[in-house]
Amino acid sequence: MEREFIAERQKGLQAYLDVITTHHILSNCELVKKFLDPNSYSVNYTEIALQHVSMFFRSEPKWEVAEPLKDIGWRIRKKYFLMKIKNQPKERLVLSWADLGPDKYLSDRDLQYAVKLLSSCSHPYIYKITFATANESSALVIRPFSEKGTLKDLIYKAKPKDPFLKKYCNPKKIQGLELQQIKTYGRQILEVLKFLHEKGFPYGHLHSANVMLDGDTCKLLDLENSLLGLPSFYRSYFSQFRKINTLEGVDVHCFGHLLYEMTYGRPPDTIPVESFPPAPSVFVVSVLESILTSEALKNGMPTVSRLLQMPLFSDVLLTNSEKPQFKIPTKLKEALKISKECIEKRLTEEQKLIHQHRRLTRAQSHHGSEEEKKKRKILARKKSKRSANESGEEHSAKYSNSNNSAGSGASSPLTSPSSPTPPSTAGMFKDHCSVYLYVVSLFPSAPQWCCCSQG
């Protein structure tokens, strides 16, 4: 319990927490959040998910749970279950249940309609949804299970069923993809983003674990996330940069993270990135520079169309001939547009708060630094010295003036035109100081006056 030991231990623990909270995957871990903020994370979401899934099975008896897929995702309020159809026991599906998030701006009616509409979406680079439904508090989506897993599983050589932390937090081997894979997968992802942007459908949830692999084809997952108002995986990054203020810009920024991960086999250490390690092609680096450097973040993100025209992707031939289909009724399109604007407005407000907080923190850090403290001490000493010198000079001048006045005997104490004639001072003054004090007492509102003949 010695004070020095406790102080040293406290510093060590703070350094430990700083490392954990700046690690992107660890900082989103449920155990970390529960430790730092137990009141906000006291709910058991696995139990809530099971309750909702059980209620769903009452109305849809053809499905049944094969096994829970524990912690395969990064979200605390999203749970996964391996499913099967009773009359087709060999077919495996994945059920995901998610709570509604802070960016849910659709009305309950529009939300339910939009979520159900997702199963009708057909696109060569969007992963098929078998069934989807939503209510006023959560949503449930069923998709085919893929043994091959996601693009992130391919990069990290992980097993799809393993927990998220085990798969991606500390990979044994770090290795990027081949150049042709980077080009093909990148082109496919950009094509589907362009399709969604043209449809007016907000996404904002692109990352390598949301891209399913089907042979040599990438297929986008979790289109429902933006409808449910869930936060993006990379929100802590793009919320720091005020030029990324639209969902289209968010998608492009997230694509930059994904491209970096495909190229180098790991996410970037920090954002912005000012220097890139050697890449399979200079064209890869030119795309990364247009998205992840400080200059790009300062000027704003390129459009998806601009990225498609860059040399890395412009010569990729797409062989899939499936015609995209996703009909969104006009009324729902308008509701999605309003929802998108609300999401962007909240992002802008959050970015403004972060900017103000960073300015305040910088100012406090600057004023609290040792160098700044030394400067303030030196200035204070100089000011104190100057004041003392000025006070001494003033006192000396007044002393001299009062001496001249008392010694001449020719001049009487000075009076202002409006003041009464002072009483006789005979025998009052024993020395020059008392003359000075007497004069000052007569004219308290004009201490600059002196007793010299020039008045």
Side-chain angles (χ1 to χ4, degrees), residues 48-60 63 65 78-79 81 83 94-100 111-112 115-116 118-119 129-135 137-143 224 228:
I48 294 173
L50 281 168
Q51 289 170 12
H52 282 270
V53 171
S54 299
M55 287 172 65
F56 163 72
F57 285 136
R58 288 176 196 168
S59 58
E60 297 284 343
W63 314 92
V65 174
K78 192 168 189 177
K79 302 299 173 183
F81 302 88
M83 307 284 296
V94 174
L95 181 150
S96 64
W97 172 90
D99 202 10
L100 302 182
L111 174 66
Q112 288 168 21
V115 168
K116 283 182 179 177
L118 292 176
S119 57
I129 290 175
T130 307
F131 179 88
T133 186
N135 57 30
S137 64
S138 62
L140 185 149
V141 179
I142 298 175
R143 295 178 174 88
E224 70 274 11
L228 307 181

mmCIF file of all heavy atoms in Angstrom, residues 48-60 63 65 78-79 81 83 94-100 111-112 115-116 118-119 129-135 137-143 224 228:
data_model
loop_
_atom_site.group_PDB
_atom_site.id
_atom_site.type_symbol
_atom_site.label_atom_id
_atom_site.label_comp_id
_atom_site.label_asym_id
_atom_site.label_seq_id
_atom_site.Cartn_x
_atom_site.Cartn_y
_atom_site.Cartn_z
ATOM 1 N N ILE A 48 -31.907 -12.537 -24.811
ATOM 2 C CA ILE A 48 -32.927 -11.772 -25.540
ATOM 3 C C ILE A 48 -33.071 -12.307 -26.965
ATOM 4 O O ILE A 48 -34.183 -12.477 -27.472
ATOM 5 C CB ILE A 48 -32.561 -10.268 -25.564
ATOM 6 C CG1 ILE A 48 -32.611 -9.689 -24.145
ATOM 7 C CG2 ILE A 48 -33.496 -9.483 -26.482
ATOM 8 C CD1 ILE A 48 -32.107 -8.277 -24.037
ATOM 9 N N ALA A 49 -31.936 -12.587 -27.599
ATOM 10 C CA ALA A 49 -31.952 -13.133 -28.968
ATOM 11 C C ALA A 49 -32.687 -14.475 -29.012
ATOM 12 O O ALA A 49 -33.510 -14.712 -29.911
ATOM 13 C CB ALA A 49 -30.520 -13.298 -29.478
ATOM 14 N N LEU A 50 -32.396 -15.334 -28.033
ATOM 15 C CA LEU A 50 -33.067 -16.648 -27.978
ATOM 16 C C LEU A 50 -34.576 -16.508 -27.809
ATOM 17 O O LEU A 50 -35.352 -17.270 -28.402
ATOM 18 C CB LEU A 50 -32.483 -17.481 -26.831
ATOM 19 C CG LEU A 50 -31.129 -18.148 -27.121
ATOM 20 C CD1 LEU A 50 -30.511 -18.683 -25.841
ATOM 21 C CD2 LEU A 50 -31.283 -19.272 -28.150
ATOM 22 N N GLN A 51 -34.996 -15.539 -27.002
ATOM 23 C CA GLN A 51 -36.440 -15.296 -26.820
ATOM 24 C C GLN A 51 -37.099 -14.908 -28.138
ATOM 25 O O GLN A 51 -38.164 -15.436 -28.494
ATOM 26 C CB GLN A 51 -36.655 -14.182 -25.785
ATOM 27 C CG GLN A 51 -36.332 -14.588 -24.352
ATOM 28 C CD GLN A 51 -36.331 -13.397 -23.407
ATOM 29 O OE1 GLN A 51 -36.786 -12.304 -23.755
ATOM 30 N NE2 GLN A 51 -35.808 -13.588 -22.209
ATOM 31 N N HIS A 52 -36.458 -13.987 -28.867
ATOM 32 C CA HIS A 52 -37.017 -13.536 -30.150
ATOM 33 C C HIS A 52 -37.011 -14.664 -31.185
ATOM 34 O O HIS A 52 -37.979 -14.815 -31.944
ATOM 35 C CB HIS A 52 -36.216 -12.346 -30.676
ATOM 36 C CG HIS A 52 -36.551 -11.053 -30.016
ATOM 37 N ND1 HIS A 52 -37.540 -10.199 -30.477
ATOM 38 C CD2 HIS A 52 -36.050 -10.452 -28.899
ATOM 39 C CE1 HIS A 52 -37.626 -9.144 -29.704
ATOM 40 N NE2 HIS A 52 -36.728 -9.271 -28.725
ATOM 41 N N VAL A 53 -35.935 -15.447 -31.210
ATOM 42 C CA VAL A 53 -35.842 -16.559 -32.162
ATOM 43 C C VAL A 53 -36.907 -17.615 -31.849
ATOM 44 O O VAL A 53 -37.541 -18.165 -32.755
ATOM 45 C CB VAL A 53 -34.418 -17.169 -32.146
ATOM 46 C CG1 VAL A 53 -34.362 -18.455 -32.961
ATOM 47 C CG2 VAL A 53 -33.406 -16.162 -32.694
ATOM 48 N N SER A 54 -37.129 -17.895 -30.569
ATOM 49 C CA SER A 54 -38.155 -18.874 -30.151
ATOM 50 C C SER A 54 -39.545 -18.425 -30.586
ATOM 51 O O SER A 54 -40.355 -19.238 -31.071
ATOM 52 C CB SER A 54 -38.121 -19.052 -28.632
ATOM 53 O OG SER A 54 -36.867 -19.529 -28.220
ATOM 54 N N MET A 55 -39.823 -17.129 -30.421
ATOM 55 C CA MET A 55 -41.119 -16.593 -30.860
ATOM 56 C C MET A 55 -41.273 -16.723 -32.369
ATOM 57 O O MET A 55 -42.354 -17.034 -32.879
ATOM 58 C CB MET A 55 -41.238 -15.121 -30.446
ATOM 59 C CG MET A 55 -41.461 -14.924 -28.957
ATOM 60 S SD MET A 55 -41.373 -13.192 -28.470
ATOM 61 C CE MET A 55 -42.782 -12.515 -29.315
ATOM 62 N N PHE A 56 -40.161 -16.532 -33.098
ATOM 63 C CA PHE A 56 -40.185 -16.645 -34.559
ATOM 64 C C PHE A 56 -40.524 -18.079 -34.970
ATOM 65 O O PHE A 56 -41.322 -18.306 -35.888
ATOM 66 C CB PHE A 56 -38.822 -16.220 -35.123
ATOM 67 C CG PHE A 56 -38.591 -16.664 -36.536
ATOM 68 C CD1 PHE A 56 -39.272 -16.074 -37.592
ATOM 69 C CD2 PHE A 56 -37.679 -17.687 -36.824
ATOM 70 C CE1 PHE A 56 -39.044 -16.488 -38.900
ATOM 71 C CE2 PHE A 56 -37.455 -18.099 -38.115
ATOM 72 C CZ PHE A 56 -38.134 -17.503 -39.163
ATOM 73 N N PHE A 57 -39.937 -19.071 -34.279
ATOM 74 C CA PHE A 57 -40.175 -20.480 -34.630
ATOM 75 C C PHE A 57 -41.612 -20.917 -34.384
ATOM 76 O O PHE A 57 -42.085 -21.870 -34.991
ATOM 77 C CB PHE A 57 -39.209 -21.387 -33.862
ATOM 78 C CG PHE A 57 -37.798 -21.344 -34.406
ATOM 79 C CD1 PHE A 57 -36.709 -21.271 -33.550
ATOM 80 C CD2 PHE A 57 -37.570 -21.374 -35.764
ATOM 81 C CE1 PHE A 57 -35.418 -21.221 -34.043
ATOM 82 C CE2 PHE A 57 -36.284 -21.330 -36.266
ATOM 83 C CZ PHE A 57 -35.201 -21.250 -35.416
ATOM 84 N N ARG A 58 -42.297 -20.241 -33.504
ATOM 85 C CA ARG A 58 -43.710 -20.580 -33.274
ATOM 86 C C ARG A 58 -44.558 -20.304 -34.514
ATOM 87 O O ARG A 58 -45.508 -21.025 -34.807
ATOM 88 C CB ARG A 58 -44.263 -19.759 -32.103
ATOM 89 C CG ARG A 58 -43.734 -20.212 -30.749
ATOM 90 C CD ARG A 58 -44.231 -19.311 -29.649
ATOM 91 N NE ARG A 58 -43.476 -19.481 -28.419
ATOM 92 C CZ ARG A 58 -43.539 -18.685 -27.372
ATOM 93 N NH1 ARG A 58 -44.352 -17.639 -27.393
ATOM 94 N NH2 ARG A 58 -42.810 -18.906 -26.298
ATOM 95 N N SER A 59 -44.197 -19.217 -35.217
ATOM 96 C CA SER A 59 -44.954 -18.869 -36.426
ATOM 97 C C SER A 59 -44.360 -19.489 -37.690
ATOM 98 O O SER A 59 -45.009 -19.536 -38.727
ATOM 99 C CB SER A 59 -45.010 -17.343 -36.586
ATOM 100 O OG SER A 59 -43.705 -16.814 -36.649
ATOM 101 N N GLU A 60 -43.102 -19.942 -37.600
ATOM 102 C CA GLU A 60 -42.430 -20.563 -38.750
ATOM 103 C C GLU A 60 -41.863 -21.926 -38.318
ATOM 104 O O GLU A 60 -40.658 -22.094 -38.118
ATOM 105 C CB GLU A 60 -41.292 -19.660 -39.251
ATOM 106 C CG GLU A 60 -41.738 -18.306 -39.763
ATOM 107 C CD GLU A 60 -42.367 -18.383 -41.149
ATOM 108 O OE1 GLU A 60 -42.172 -19.402 -41.841
ATOM 109 O OE2 GLU A 60 -43.047 -17.421 -41.527
ATOM 110 N N TRP A 63 -38.415 -24.244 -39.554
ATOM 111 C CA TRP A 63 -37.017 -24.018 -39.208
ATOM 112 C C TRP A 63 -36.716 -24.583 -37.832
ATOM 113 O O TRP A 63 -37.595 -24.659 -36.970
ATOM 114 C CB TRP A 63 -36.691 -22.525 -39.189
ATOM 115 C CG TRP A 63 -37.182 -21.720 -40.351
ATOM 116 C CD1 TRP A 63 -38.367 -21.053 -40.449
ATOM 117 C CD2 TRP A 63 -36.499 -21.488 -41.571
ATOM 118 N NE1 TRP A 63 -38.469 -20.419 -41.648
ATOM 119 C CE2 TRP A 63 -37.327 -20.667 -42.368
ATOM 120 C CE3 TRP A 63 -35.266 -21.898 -42.079
ATOM 121 C CZ2 TRP A 63 -36.973 -20.241 -43.642
ATOM 122 C CZ3 TRP A 63 -34.909 -21.473 -43.339
ATOM 123 C CH2 TRP A 63 -35.751 -20.656 -44.111
ATOM 124 N N VAL A 65 -33.139 -24.657 -34.828
ATOM 125 C CA VAL A 65 -31.750 -24.299 -34.536
ATOM 126 C C VAL A 65 -30.895 -25.553 -34.477
ATOM 127 O O VAL A 65 -31.215 -26.506 -33.769
ATOM 128 C CB VAL A 65 -31.651 -23.529 -33.197
ATOM 129 C CG1 VAL A 65 -30.193 -23.292 -32.817
ATOM 130 C CG2 VAL A 65 -32.377 -22.195 -33.289
ATOM 131 N N LYS A 78 -25.728 -8.324 -31.625
ATOM 132 C CA LYS A 78 -26.096 -9.141 -32.783
ATOM 133 C C LYS A 78 -25.644 -10.575 -32.529
ATOM 134 O O LYS A 78 -24.472 -10.804 -32.223
ATOM 135 C CB LYS A 78 -25.445 -8.592 -34.057
ATOM 136 C CG LYS A 78 -25.998 -9.208 -35.341
ATOM 137 C CD LYS A 78 -25.538 -8.425 -36.568
ATOM 138 C CE LYS A 78 -26.263 -8.887 -37.815
ATOM 139 N NZ LYS A 78 -25.887 -8.114 -39.004
ATOM 140 N N LYS A 79 -26.556 -11.527 -32.646
ATOM 141 C CA LYS A 79 -26.268 -12.926 -32.338
ATOM 142 C C LYS A 79 -26.575 -13.813 -33.542
ATOM 143 O O LYS A 79 -27.469 -13.518 -34.347
ATOM 144 C CB LYS A 79 -27.083 -13.386 -31.121
ATOM 145 C CG LYS A 79 -26.846 -12.554 -29.856
ATOM 146 C CD LYS A 79 -25.395 -12.625 -29.395
ATOM 147 C CE LYS A 79 -25.104 -11.681 -28.247
ATOM 148 N NZ LYS A 79 -23.694 -11.683 -27.846
ATOM 149 N N PHE A 81 -27.007 -17.937 -35.218
ATOM 150 C CA PHE A 81 -27.373 -19.336 -34.963
ATOM 151 C C PHE A 81 -27.295 -20.116 -36.280
ATOM 152 O O PHE A 81 -27.722 -19.609 -37.329
ATOM 153 C CB PHE A 81 -28.801 -19.439 -34.411
ATOM 154 C CG PHE A 81 -29.021 -18.662 -33.147
ATOM 155 C CD1 PHE A 81 -29.405 -17.320 -33.174
ATOM 156 C CD2 PHE A 81 -28.841 -19.257 -31.903
ATOM 157 C CE1 PHE A 81 -29.609 -16.598 -32.020
ATOM 158 C CE2 PHE A 81 -29.040 -18.538 -30.734
ATOM 159 C CZ PHE A 81 -29.425 -17.203 -30.791
ATOM 160 N N MET A 83 -28.759 -22.818 -38.617
ATOM 161 C CA MET A 83 -30.134 -23.292 -38.778
ATOM 162 C C MET A 83 -30.208 -24.463 -39.756
ATOM 163 O O MET A 83 -29.282 -24.698 -40.531
ATOM 164 C CB MET A 83 -30.999 -22.154 -39.344
ATOM 165 C CG MET A 83 -30.928 -20.869 -38.579
ATOM 166 S SD MET A 83 -31.876 -20.945 -37.077
ATOM 167 C CE MET A 83 -33.513 -21.160 -37.742
ATOM 168 N N VAL A 94 -27.695 -19.646 -41.843
ATOM 169 C CA VAL A 94 -27.306 -18.842 -40.682
ATOM 170 C C VAL A 94 -28.398 -17.828 -40.393
ATOM 171 O O VAL A 94 -28.834 -17.086 -41.285
ATOM 172 C CB VAL A 94 -25.975 -18.091 -40.934
ATOM 173 C CG1 VAL A 94 -25.667 -17.151 -39.776
ATOM 174 C CG2 VAL A 94 -24.843 -19.064 -41.107
ATOM 175 N N LEU A 95 -28.866 -17.832 -39.149
ATOM 176 C CA LEU A 95 -29.820 -16.834 -38.696
ATOM 177 C C LEU A 95 -29.072 -15.777 -37.890
ATOM 178 O O LEU A 95 -28.302 -16.099 -36.990
ATOM 179 C CB LEU A 95 -30.907 -17.489 -37.839
ATOM 180 C CG LEU A 95 -32.017 -16.583 -37.278
ATOM 181 C CD1 LEU A 95 -33.307 -17.369 -37.126
ATOM 182 C CD2 LEU A 95 -31.659 -15.939 -35.944
ATOM 183 N N SER A 96 -29.295 -14.513 -38.230
ATOM 184 C CA SER A 96 -28.718 -13.423 -37.432
ATOM 185 C C SER A 96 -29.851 -12.598 -36.828
ATOM 186 O O SER A 96 -30.819 -12.261 -37.526
ATOM 187 C CB SER A 96 -27.811 -12.540 -38.287
ATOM 188 O OG SER A 96 -28.537 -11.893 -39.298
ATOM 189 N N TRP A 97 -29.730 -12.315 -35.535
ATOM 190 C CA TRP A 97 -30.699 -11.458 -34.842
ATOM 191 C C TRP A 97 -29.976 -10.208 -34.365
ATOM 192 O O TRP A 97 -28.866 -10.289 -33.823
ATOM 193 C CB TRP A 97 -31.300 -12.195 -33.635
ATOM 194 C CG TRP A 97 -32.148 -11.284 -32.776
ATOM 195 C CD1 TRP A 97 -33.473 -11.057 -32.903
ATOM 196 C CD2 TRP A 97 -31.703 -10.480 -31.668
ATOM 197 N NE1 TRP A 97 -33.896 -10.145 -31.957
ATOM 198 C CE2 TRP A 97 -32.819 -9.777 -31.187
ATOM 199 C CE3 TRP A 97 -30.468 -10.261 -31.060
ATOM 200 C CZ2 TRP A 97 -32.751 -8.887 -30.119
ATOM 201 C CZ3 TRP A 97 -30.382 -9.375 -29.993
ATOM 202 C CH2 TRP A 97 -31.521 -8.705 -29.527
ATOM 203 N N ALA A 98 -30.583 -9.043 -34.579
ATOM 204 C CA ALA A 98 -29.940 -7.792 -34.158
ATOM 205 C C ALA A 98 -30.952 -6.835 -33.545
ATOM 206 O O ALA A 98 -32.092 -6.719 -34.020
ATOM 207 C CB ALA A 98 -29.252 -7.117 -35.339
ATOM 208 N N ASP A 99 -30.516 -6.174 -32.495
ATOM 209 C CA ASP A 99 -31.274 -5.098 -31.867
ATOM 210 C C ASP A 99 -31.218 -3.872 -32.775
ATOM 211 O O ASP A 99 -30.305 -3.737 -33.585
ATOM 212 C CB ASP A 99 -30.614 -4.783 -30.513
ATOM 213 C CG ASP A 99 -31.566 -4.101 -29.556
ATOM 214 O OD1 ASP A 99 -32.762 -4.045 -29.867
ATOM 215 O OD2 ASP A 99 -31.100 -3.623 -28.507
ATOM 216 N N LEU A 100 -32.166 -2.938 -32.626
ATOM 217 C CA LEU A 100 -32.130 -1.706 -33.414
ATOM 218 C C LEU A 100 -31.075 -0.758 -32.857
ATOM 219 O O LEU A 100 -30.809 -0.743 -31.655
ATOM 220 C CB LEU A 100 -33.506 -1.026 -33.411
ATOM 221 C CG LEU A 100 -34.669 -1.861 -33.954
ATOM 222 C CD1 LEU A 100 -35.951 -1.051 -33.948
ATOM 223 C CD2 LEU A 100 -34.372 -2.380 -35.358
ATOM 224 N N LEU A 111 -39.754 0.227 -41.900
ATOM 225 C CA LEU A 111 -38.656 -0.697 -41.578
ATOM 226 C C LEU A 111 -39.046 -2.136 -41.900
ATOM 227 O O LEU A 111 -38.280 -2.862 -42.554
ATOM 228 C CB LEU A 111 -38.282 -0.568 -40.101
ATOM 229 C CG LEU A 111 -37.245 -1.581 -39.593
ATOM 230 C CD1 LEU A 111 -35.886 -1.358 -40.259
ATOM 231 C CD2 LEU A 111 -37.108 -1.508 -38.075
ATOM 232 N N GLN A 112 -40.216 -2.546 -41.457
ATOM 233 C CA GLN A 112 -40.670 -3.925 -41.698
ATOM 234 C C GLN A 112 -40.785 -4.212 -43.192
ATOM 235 O O GLN A 112 -40.377 -5.274 -43.669
ATOM 236 C CB GLN A 112 -42.016 -4.140 -41.002
ATOM 237 C CG GLN A 112 -41.906 -4.212 -39.487
ATOM 238 C CD GLN A 112 -43.260 -4.134 -38.792
ATOM 239 O OE1 GLN A 112 -44.290 -4.399 -39.395
ATOM 240 N NE2 GLN A 112 -43.250 -3.761 -37.519
ATOM 241 N N VAL A 115 -37.128 -4.320 -44.797
ATOM 242 C CA VAL A 115 -36.394 -5.542 -44.434
ATOM 243 C C VAL A 115 -36.933 -6.741 -45.221
ATOM 244 O O VAL A 115 -36.164 -7.570 -45.732
ATOM 245 C CB VAL A 115 -36.466 -5.789 -42.907
ATOM 246 C CG1 VAL A 115 -35.974 -7.189 -42.559
ATOM 247 C CG2 VAL A 115 -35.628 -4.744 -42.163
ATOM 248 N N LYS A 116 -38.247 -6.840 -45.343
ATOM 249 C CA LYS A 116 -38.841 -7.949 -46.103
ATOM 250 C C LYS A 116 -38.482 -7.864 -47.589
ATOM 251 O O LYS A 116 -38.341 -8.873 -48.268
ATOM 252 C CB LYS A 116 -40.365 -7.930 -45.938
ATOM 253 C CG LYS A 116 -40.816 -8.476 -44.590
ATOM 254 C CD LYS A 116 -42.323 -8.504 -44.465
ATOM 255 C CE LYS A 116 -42.730 -9.066 -43.111
ATOM 256 N NZ LYS A 116 -44.205 -9.061 -42.910
ATOM 257 N N LEU A 118 -35.705 -7.043 -48.839
ATOM 258 C CA LEU A 118 -34.322 -7.470 -49.088
ATOM 259 C C LEU A 118 -34.233 -8.857 -49.727
ATOM 260 O O LEU A 118 -33.328 -9.130 -50.509
ATOM 261 C CB LEU A 118 -33.522 -7.464 -47.781
ATOM 262 C CG LEU A 118 -33.252 -6.087 -47.151
ATOM 263 C CD1 LEU A 118 -32.541 -6.256 -45.815
ATOM 264 C CD2 LEU A 118 -32.430 -5.206 -48.088
ATOM 265 N N SER A 119 -35.159 -9.740 -49.382
ATOM 266 C CA SER A 119 -35.126 -11.102 -49.938
ATOM 267 C C SER A 119 -35.433 -11.121 -51.436
ATOM 268 O O SER A 119 -35.154 -12.109 -52.133
ATOM 269 C CB SER A 119 -36.089 -12.017 -49.189
ATOM 270 O OG SER A 119 -37.397 -11.479 -49.233
ATOM 271 N N ILE A 129 -30.514 -13.441 -49.576
ATOM 272 C CA ILE A 129 -31.226 -13.553 -48.293
ATOM 273 C C ILE A 129 -32.407 -14.496 -48.488
ATOM 274 O O ILE A 129 -33.237 -14.312 -49.387
ATOM 275 C CB ILE A 129 -31.704 -12.168 -47.805
ATOM 276 C CG1 ILE A 129 -30.497 -11.326 -47.390
ATOM 277 C CG2 ILE A 129 -32.687 -12.299 -46.646
ATOM 278 C CD1 ILE A 129 -30.831 -9.900 -47.006
ATOM 279 N N THR A 130 -32.487 -15.511 -47.637
ATOM 280 C CA THR A 130 -33.569 -16.500 -47.731
ATOM 281 C C THR A 130 -34.852 -15.977 -47.099
ATOM 282 O O THR A 130 -35.951 -16.164 -47.635
ATOM 283 C CB THR A 130 -33.149 -17.812 -47.026
ATOM 284 O OG1 THR A 130 -31.892 -18.232 -47.558
ATOM 285 C CG2 THR A 130 -34.182 -18.909 -47.211
ATOM 286 N N PHE A 131 -34.701 -15.315 -45.954
ATOM 287 C CA PHE A 131 -35.870 -14.813 -45.212
ATOM 288 C C PHE A 131 -35.440 -13.625 -44.355
ATOM 289 O O PHE A 131 -34.329 -13.618 -43.811
ATOM 290 C CB PHE A 131 -36.433 -15.931 -44.319
ATOM 291 C CG PHE A 131 -37.628 -15.512 -43.507
ATOM 292 C CD1 PHE A 131 -38.907 -15.609 -44.023
ATOM 293 C CD2 PHE A 131 -37.462 -15.014 -42.213
ATOM 294 C CE1 PHE A 131 -40.011 -15.215 -43.274
ATOM 295 C CE2 PHE A 131 -38.552 -14.629 -41.460
ATOM 296 C CZ PHE A 131 -39.835 -14.726 -41.982
ATOM 297 N N ALA A 132 -36.315 -12.619 -44.239
ATOM 298 C CA ALA A 132 -36.011 -11.459 -43.388
ATOM 299 C C ALA A 132 -37.296 -10.882 -42.818
ATOM 300 O O ALA A 132 -38.310 -10.782 -43.522
ATOM 301 C CB ALA A 132 -35.275 -10.395 -44.186
ATOM 302 N N THR A 133 -37.258 -10.520 -41.548
ATOM 303 C CA THR A 133 -38.415 -9.894 -40.899
ATOM 304 C C THR A 133 -37.937 -8.953 -39.795
ATOM 305 O O THR A 133 -36.813 -9.097 -39.297
ATOM 306 C CB THR A 133 -39.373 -10.958 -40.317
ATOM 307 O OG1 THR A 133 -40.545 -10.321 -39.811
ATOM 308 C CG2 THR A 133 -38.720 -11.738 -39.175
ATOM 309 N N ALA A 134 -38.782 -7.986 -39.439
ATOM 310 C CA ALA A 134 -38.426 -7.019 -38.394
ATOM 311 C C ALA A 134 -39.669 -6.647 -37.604
ATOM 312 O O ALA A 134 -40.802 -6.747 -38.095
ATOM 313 C CB ALA A 134 -37.802 -5.779 -39.015
ATOM 314 N N ASN A 135 -39.445 -6.215 -36.362
ATOM 315 C CA ASN A 135 -40.533 -5.652 -35.556
ATOM 316 C C ASN A 135 -40.080 -4.317 -34.976
ATOM 317 O O ASN A 135 -39.082 -3.757 -35.422
ATOM 318 C CB ASN A 135 -40.987 -6.639 -34.459
ATOM 319 C CG ASN A 135 -39.843 -7.054 -33.540
ATOM 320 O OD1 ASN A 135 -38.897 -6.288 -33.310
ATOM 321 N ND2 ASN A 135 -39.918 -8.272 -33.018
ATOM 322 N N SER A 137 -38.566 -3.588 -32.313
ATOM 323 C CA SER A 137 -37.355 -3.573 -31.472
ATOM 324 C C SER A 137 -36.146 -4.301 -32.065
ATOM 325 O O SER A 137 -35.019 -4.093 -31.616
ATOM 326 C CB SER A 137 -37.671 -4.190 -30.099
ATOM 327 O OG SER A 137 -38.028 -5.546 -30.245
ATOM 328 N N SER A 138 -36.350 -5.162 -33.073
ATOM 329 C CA SER A 138 -35.224 -5.946 -33.603
ATOM 330 C C SER A 138 -35.556 -6.500 -34.989
ATOM 331 O O SER A 138 -36.668 -6.309 -35.491
ATOM 332 C CB SER A 138 -34.890 -7.100 -32.643
ATOM 333 O OG SER A 138 -36.002 -7.968 -32.526
ATOM 334 N N ALA A 139 -34.577 -7.198 -35.562
ATOM 335 C CA ALA A 139 -34.773 -7.818 -36.880
ATOM 336 C C ALA A 139 -34.090 -9.170 -36.923
ATOM 337 O O ALA A 139 -33.126 -9.428 -36.193
ATOM 338 C CB ALA A 139 -34.229 -6.919 -37.975
ATOM 339 N N LEU A 140 -34.584 -10.013 -37.810
ATOM 340 C CA LEU A 140 -34.085 -11.379 -37.931
ATOM 341 C C LEU A 140 -33.911 -11.695 -39.418
ATOM 342 O O LEU A 140 -34.823 -11.476 -40.213
ATOM 343 C CB LEU A 140 -35.106 -12.312 -37.274
ATOM 344 C CG LEU A 140 -34.830 -13.787 -37.129
ATOM 345 C CD1 LEU A 140 -35.511 -14.311 -35.875
ATOM 346 C CD2 LEU A 140 -35.367 -14.555 -38.332
ATOM 347 N N VAL A 141 -32.709 -12.167 -39.792
ATOM 348 C CA VAL A 141 -32.405 -12.443 -41.199
ATOM 349 C C VAL A 141 -31.787 -13.834 -41.313
ATOM 350 O O VAL A 141 -30.937 -14.214 -40.511
ATOM 351 C CB VAL A 141 -31.436 -11.388 -41.779
ATOM 352 C CG1 VAL A 141 -31.093 -11.695 -43.234
ATOM 353 C CG2 VAL A 141 -32.020 -9.984 -41.667
ATOM 354 N N ILE A 142 -32.220 -14.605 -42.335
ATOM 355 C CA ILE A 142 -31.672 -15.940 -42.571
ATOM 356 C C ILE A 142 -31.018 -15.982 -43.948
ATOM 357 O O ILE A 142 -31.607 -15.552 -44.948
ATOM 358 C CB ILE A 142 -32.785 -17.022 -42.480
ATOM 359 C CG1 ILE A 142 -33.392 -17.034 -41.069
ATOM 360 C CG2 ILE A 142 -32.239 -18.399 -42.828
ATOM 361 C CD1 ILE A 142 -34.575 -17.972 -40.906
ATOM 362 N N ARG A 143 -29.785 -16.511 -43.978
ATOM 363 C CA ARG A 143 -29.014 -16.641 -45.213
ATOM 364 C C ARG A 143 -28.432 -18.047 -45.306
ATOM 365 O O ARG A 143 -28.261 -18.706 -44.284
ATOM 366 C CB ARG A 143 -27.839 -15.649 -45.234
ATOM 367 C CG ARG A 143 -28.204 -14.190 -45.254
ATOM 368 C CD ARG A 143 -26.937 -13.353 -45.228
ATOM 369 N NE ARG A 143 -27.217 -11.940 -45.392
ATOM 370 C CZ ARG A 143 -27.496 -11.110 -44.384
ATOM 371 N NH1 ARG A 143 -27.532 -11.555 -43.141
ATOM 372 N NH2 ARG A 143 -27.742 -9.831 -44.629
ATOM 373 N N GLU A 224 -29.099 -5.080 -44.380
ATOM 374 C CA GLU A 224 -30.104 -4.632 -43.404
ATOM 375 C C GLU A 224 -29.557 -3.696 -42.334
ATOM 376 O O GLU A 224 -30.319 -2.992 -41.657
ATOM 377 C CB GLU A 224 -30.764 -5.850 -42.723
ATOM 378 C CG GLU A 224 -29.876 -6.622 -41.765
ATOM 379 C CD GLU A 224 -29.011 -7.683 -42.419
ATOM 380 O OE1 GLU A 224 -28.927 -7.712 -43.653
ATOM 381 O OE2 GLU A 224 -28.414 -8.477 -41.671
ATOM 382 N N LEU A 228 -31.552 -0.866 -39.923
ATOM 383 C CA LEU A 228 -31.729 -1.053 -38.475
ATOM 384 C C LEU A 228 -31.035 0.037 -37.662
ATOM 385 O O LEU A 228 -31.204 0.110 -36.444
ATOM 386 C CB LEU A 228 -31.182 -2.418 -38.042
ATOM 387 C CG LEU A 228 -31.692 -3.658 -38.796
ATOM 388 C CD1 LEU A 228 -31.067 -4.917 -38.239
ATOM 389 C CD2 LEU A 228 -33.202 -3.736 -38.738
#
